[in-house]
Amino acid sequence: MVSLMLTRFFSDYGMLLVLLLLCALLSAATIAEQHPSGAAAAEQLAGAIIAQTPAGAHVAIIARDGDDDRAFTATLQTQLTTANRKIVAQVNGQPHHGARALQDLAGAGVKIDVIAVTKEAGAWAIFDDFAQENPLSKDAQRLRPESYYWPNFLKASNLVNVADQTAIIAIMAIGMTMVILAGGIDLSVGSLLALSAVLSALLIREVGGGRDASPFVMIVFCVLAIFACALVGLGTGLLVTWFRVPAFIVTLGVMLQARGLAEKLTGGESVFGLPDAFTWLGRDSTLGFLPNSVVLMIVLYAIAHFVMAQTVLGRYIYAVGGNSEAARLSGVPVRRVIVGVYVVSALLAGVGGIIIASQLQTGAPTYGSMYELYVIAAVVVGGTSLSGGEGKILGTLIGAFLIAVIRNGMNLLDLKSWDQTIVLGSIIILAVLFDRAKHLGWLRWRSLQ
Amino acid sequence: MLHMHAIDKAYPGVQALRGVDLTLHSGEVLALLGENGAGKSTLIKILAGAFLPDRGRIAIDGKPVTIRDPLDARRAGIAVIYQEFNLVPTLPVVDNLFLGQEQTRFGWLRRGSEVSAARALFARLGVAVDPWALCRDLSIAQQQIVEIARALSHEARILVMDEPTATLTPTEVEKLFAVIRELKTHGIGIIYISHRLDEIDTIADRVMVLRDGELVGVKQKSEVQRDDLIEMMVGRRLDQEFPARHQKIGMPCLAVEHLSRGSKVRDVSFTLHRGEVLALTGLVGSGRTETARILFGADRPDAGTITLHGQRLNLRGPRDAIAAGICLLSEDRKNHGLILNESVRTNFGLPNLGVFSWLGYLRQRIERAAIQQYVRSLSIKVPSTETPAYHLSGGNQQKVVLAKWLQANSEVILFDEPTRGIDVGAKVEIYQLINALAEQGKAILMISSELEEVLGMADRILVMHEGRITGEIADVKNATQPQIMRLAVR
C-alpha cells in the first residue's frame, strides 16, 4: 500500500524529484567564493570584533563611498556601540580620507585597537606604513569581513529572481493546463499577454492621467484589460465549440490578430510614462521577501488546485479531455466547459500582461513572443498529457519551475543563449518521451486485463 | 499441425495461463471458449508474438518454434484477425492487402500484378470485393474478408479469429462461414473464439474450454451439448439462461410518433409502457441505435415527436433527456459509456454532480457512499471505487454505467446491446438486473441482435429494417427466430 502510494506519487509528481535533483546539481556546480558586503558584511565583522576585543576597545571603521559601504559603516557602528566598543573614526571615502583620519587620531594621541575595513578598503596602500606612523597603535589589528563558499544558485537574491521569472509563465500555464486537460491547445496566450500589457498601459497613460493616475484608476484599467483578453478567449471557445474549427487553427489566428492589434494600438512603439506606483505588482514585496507577483502566483495555484480537485468544473474538465463523447452522453455540458477553459486561459494571459507591464513600468507590443511555447512546455514537462484528460495542476507549477531553474542555471554557468535554446528544446522532447513511456506502460497494463 | 504444450504465463498478481495445451489439426475449426479473463486472449497473444510465455513449448509440424514478435508469427504461418481490424481506412483494398510486402520492380509498385493477385485471392474465397475501393467505404464484413485475404497472401496456415461475428449481420455471418469452410478445404487450421454458442454448433469441429487460465477440456463437438459447454465455462450449470420475470406492465410511459432522421430512421412510432421490456431488433445498421440516440437527445430528429408521461419533450441534448429521466446504455461502452482512465466513482458521478455538489464544490464523501451502495446492490466486482474503469470486465463496466443512471433517477432505460462482449455468467446477472428494473416499474427498451436474448427477455418485440419498423410481435411466447428474421430482412 505504501509502495503503491509512492509509485502513484512519483508518477504524478516525478518531475518534483527531477527538480530537486537539478537544484542539487546546480548548487554543486555554482559553488563560489562569496564576498559579503554592506550590512551583511558588517554583521559578520561586528561579531568577530566583539569576540576578539574587550569592552571599551577603540575601533576605526574605514570604507569606500557608496550605498553598500555606507550601510556597512552604519551597521557596524550601531552594533559595536551597542556592545560598548568605542568608534574613534568612521570614514566613507577615498584612501586619502582614510589616511587623514588615521593621522588625526595619531596626532590626538588616541590609541586604536582595531581597524575595521571592507575587503576593498583593506587593500589600500595607506596601511603599509601604519606601524611606523602610529607607534602608539602599532599592535592594532586590521580586520575585514571573511569570504566564504556558497553556491551562487542558492543565494537568496538568485532564488527570488528564479521565482520572479517563473511567476508570469506559471500563471499563464494554469489556464493552459486546463485547456490541454480538456483536450485543446491555446497558442494565443503570448500575444494576449502583449495585448493586455499594451491596453492597460495605454488606458492609464491616455485616460487615467499618466504619471498622476491614482491606484484605483490603475486597478480599474488593469481589470478592463484582463476582461478584454477574457472576451477574446470567449470568442476562441465559441469558434472551437460551435463551428468545430480545430483549436490549433483558431488560436493560431487569434495569436496573429492579438499581436497585430497590440502593435496597431501603439503604432509599434513602447508605452512609457506610467506612475511609479504601477510597479507595485511586479517589483514590490509587500509580504517580506517574496515579490508580489510570486504571492499572486501561489494564490492562483492554490485556487486552481482546489478547482481541479474539488469542484464540479474540475471534474468536468478531466471528463471532457478523457472522452468528450462519453462525457456528453453522461450529461456533461461539454461546450460550456470548453468555452470556459479558453476564457480562463485568456484571462490569465491578461494577468501575465499586467505583471510584465508592471515589472518594466512599460507596455510594449513585443512582450511575450514565444511565451505560448514556454507555457506549453511547462505544462508538458509538468506531466500533463497533450492528448488530454491526464495531468495535475501542481505538476505544471513544478514544470514551470523546472524550466525557470534550467534557464537560470544556464545563465549562471555562462551558457550562450543559442546553447540555452537547444537545451530547452531537448528538455521538452525528453518530457514528451517520458509521457509517451508512461502512456505505453499504461496500454500494456490494460492489455493484461 | 500446431502444438502448444504446457504454456504458463503470469502477469503481476495474476496467473493468466497454467499448463495449457492446445493442438490444432490442419483443415479443422477449433473453437476456443471461456469467460472473459479465462485466458483466451493471452493464449492468442502468445501465438501472435505479443508476449513470450513463461514456460512451455510451441511446435509447428513437429518442429519447435519461438515466437518473439509478430514478424516471427507471420513467418511461422500464423495470422490473427482481431475484432479491431488492422487496415488503413484511407488506402484502397489492394494497398492494404500488400502493405509491407508490396510487389515492386526497381522500387516501382507493380500495381497491375498486385490487383490481379488480389482478385485471385478474393475469387479463392468466393467473394467479390473491389480491389480499388477504399477500406473506409467497405462494410465491416468486407473489411474482415480483406483481413482474411491478407492472411492468405502471407501464406498463413493457422488463422486465429477473435469474435469475428460480433458486428456482423446473420447473412454476413453465413457468408463468413462459407469462407471458413472454403479455408478448411485448403488445409488451413482455424482457432475460432466466440461467445455465441449457436455459431460454434454450426462451424466448429472441436471445442476447447478455458477457465481461470486452465484447460477445462477439449471435446469433439458431436460429443457435447450446449449446456455442457456453459457448465464447463462457468463451472456450474445454469438452470436457465433467461431468468423468469414477474410481469407487471403498467401505463404507457414513452410515446414516439413519426420520428425521422435522414435515411437511418424513417417514420418510427411506438409506445413504451412502465414495467415493460420492449425489444427493438433487426440487422446491424437497421436504425435501432440511431432511434435510441434520438430518444436520448444525442442526435436531433428531422421530424416527429417524443412524449413522456403525456408531456412533449424537446431534447436539445443528452442533458435534457437525463433531466427528463431517460438514459442510454450504449453498445459502445468503451467509447460512449465510460471514460476509461477515470475511476469508477468519477464515471458514476458525472451525470449526478448536481446532487453531489454544493455551489460547485464536490461533496465527495456523499458520492463515495452512494457508489458504494450500488457496488453492493448491483454486486459490482471492483477492488475499490477509485479503480480506473479500464480495469473492469465488460459486465462490471455495464453495471457501473447502470449505477450511474439509476442514481440519476432514470425511468426510461434504453439498453443498446446490453450483453455485447460480456461473458455468459455475467450475462445472466445483467438479465436479472433488467428483470428487477422492469419489476420496479421502469420502462425498458432493449436493442439486441441476439435473437435468443430478444425472445428470452422481451414482453413485446419491434423489428426494424432500413430505418422503418417492419413488424411488432406481441405474442413473444410463441414467436420464433425465423419469424423475426423474416421481418428483419424483408
Side-chain angles (χ1 to χ4, degrees), chain A residues 306 309-312 315-316 318-319 322-323 325-326 328-333 336 390 442 445-449, chain B residues 11 45 296 298 318-319 322 335-336 338-340 342 346 351 353 357 360-362 364 367 390-391 404-405:
Chain A
F306 175 80
Q310 302 289 340
T311 69
V312 175
R315 181 73 68 79
Y316 281 174
Y318 278 108
N323 181 341
E325 184 60 10
R328 186 175 83 96
L329 295 178
S330 294
V332 174
R336 265 184 274 163
E390 272 178 286
W442 180 76
W445 230 97
R446 196 170 68 157
S447 67
L448 308 186
Q449 302 307 304
Chain B
Y11 301 129
K45 281 178 178 159
F296 185 54
R319 283 172 76 77
I322 295 165
N335 290 315
H336 292 167
L338 291 164
I339 298 167
L340 285 180
E342 292 290 351
T346 302
L353 293 185
S357 68
Y361 170 71
L362 289 175
Q364 308 202 35
E367 184 185 54
Y390 61 80
H391 276 233
K404 151 175 114 173
W405 293 131

Side-chain angles (χ1 to χ4, degrees), chain B residues 240-267:
Chain B
Q240 280 171 291
E241 262 188 84
F242 300 101
R245 173 173 68 249
H246 179 64
Q247 273 189 12
K248 219 172 37 186
I249 295 175
M251 298 292 290
C253 173
L254 182 79
V256 176
E257 276 167 43
H258 309 299
L259 210 59
S260 295
R261 179 181 160 89
S263 62
K264 286 291 193 180
V265 179
R266 300 178 193 180
D267 196 22

Side-chain angles (χ1 to χ4, degrees), chain A residues 67-363:
Chain A
D67 287 346
D68 237 21
D69 285 42
R70 282 189 188 281
F72 172 79
T73 50
T75 311
L76 199 55
Q77 190 247 341
T78 331
Q79 297 217 344
L80 290 178
T81 317
T82 327
N84 268 328
R85 306 304 190 271
K86 191 168 177 348
I87 309 297
V88 292
Q90 183 175 343
V91 178
N92 279 109
Q94 301 292 318
H96 67 263
H97 295 119
R100 171 135 16 100
L102 292 176
Q103 281 163 19
D104 290 351
L105 287 175
V110 179
K111 182 173 182 277
I112 307 170
D113 298 312
V114 173
I115 306 172
V117 289
T118 59
K119 169 173 167 278
E120 294 81 10
W124 287 348
I126 58 167
F127 301 111
D128 292 352
D129 302 322
F130 178 75
Q132 281 98 44
E133 290 168 18
N134 291 288
L136 182 65
S137 312
K138 66 179 191 307
D139 296 327
Q141 291 175 278
R142 189 152 24 105
L143 294 180
R144 69 184 81 182
E146 294 210 15
S147 63
Y148 57 94
Y149 285 86
W150 186 254
N152 279 331
F153 174 73
L154 285 184
K155 280 160 75 177
S157 58
N158 186 59
L159 290 180
V160 169
N161 191 14
V162 171
D164 216 20
Q165 287 176 353
T166 313
I168 293 177
I169 298 278
I171 286 173
M172 290 160 79
I174 292 174
M176 186 69 79
T177 308
M178 291 182 180
V179 169
I180 291 179
L181 277 176
I185 191 83
D186 189 351
L187 300 179
S188 64
V189 290
S191 300
L192 286 176
L193 171 133
L195 185 63
S196 149
V198 161
L199 261 182
S200 59
L202 274 178
L203 283 171
I204 291 169
R205 192 182 69 184
E206 304 296 332
V207 187
R211 288 198 174 278
D212 304 322
S214 72
F216 174 74
V217 165
M218 287 193 285
I219 291 172
V220 167
F221 287 146
C222 288
V223 168
L224 268 181
I226 293 171
F227 186 72
C229 288
L231 267 183
V232 175
L234 182 69
T236 305
L238 290 178
L239 280 170
V240 170
T241 50
W242 284 95
F243 298 98
R244 304 202 175 181
V245 189
F248 188 92
I249 303 296
V250 177
T251 58
L252 186 70
V254 172
M255 170 177 115
L256 296 172
Q257 289 174 329
R259 178 74 64 194
L261 185 60
E263 282 170 358
K264 184 184 166 83
L265 285 173
T266 60
E269 307 283 323
S270 296
V271 181
F272 302 103
L274 301 175
D276 288 338
F278 186 62
T279 62
W280 178 83
L281 182 61
R283 292 189 197 161
D284 284 10
S285 307
T286 311
L287 303 174
F289 72 99
L290 277 182
N292 290 336
S293 55
V294 176
V295 173
L296 178 64
M297 173 188 85
I298 293 169
V299 169
L300 286 175
Y301 266 90
I303 294 172
H305 178 70
F306 175 80
V307 166
M308 294 311 289
Q310 302 289 340
T311 69
V312 175
L313 177 64
R315 181 73 68 79
Y316 281 174
I317 290 174
Y318 278 108
V320 168
N323 181 341
S324 69
E325 184 60 10
R328 186 175 83 96
L329 295 178
S330 294
V332 174
V334 174
R335 285 176 174 169
R336 265 184 274 163
V337 170
I338 292 176
V339 171
V341 294
Y342 284 103
V343 169
V344 170
S345 174
L347 189 142
L348 290 176
V351 172
I354 303 298
I355 297 175
I356 199 167
S358 165
Q359 278 177 352
L360 302 170
Q361 215 178 347
T362 313

Side-chain angles (χ1 to χ4, degrees), chain B residues 83-94:
Chain B
Q83 279 173 275
E84 276 113 38
F85 300 136
N86 265 322
L87 299 172
V88 184
T90 50
L91 285 183
V93 168
V94 56

Side-chain angles (χ1 to χ4, degrees), chain B residues 1-4 23-27 58-65 75-78 155 157-158 187 189:
Chain B
M1 175 169 62
L2 169 73
H3 287 278
M4 297 175 82
T23 307
L24 179 69
H25 306 298
S26 88
I58 302 175
I60 292 177
D61 298 333
K63 286 189 213 97
V65 289
R75 285 200 202 99
I78 299 166
E155 278 160 17
R157 298 166 54 221
I158 297 159

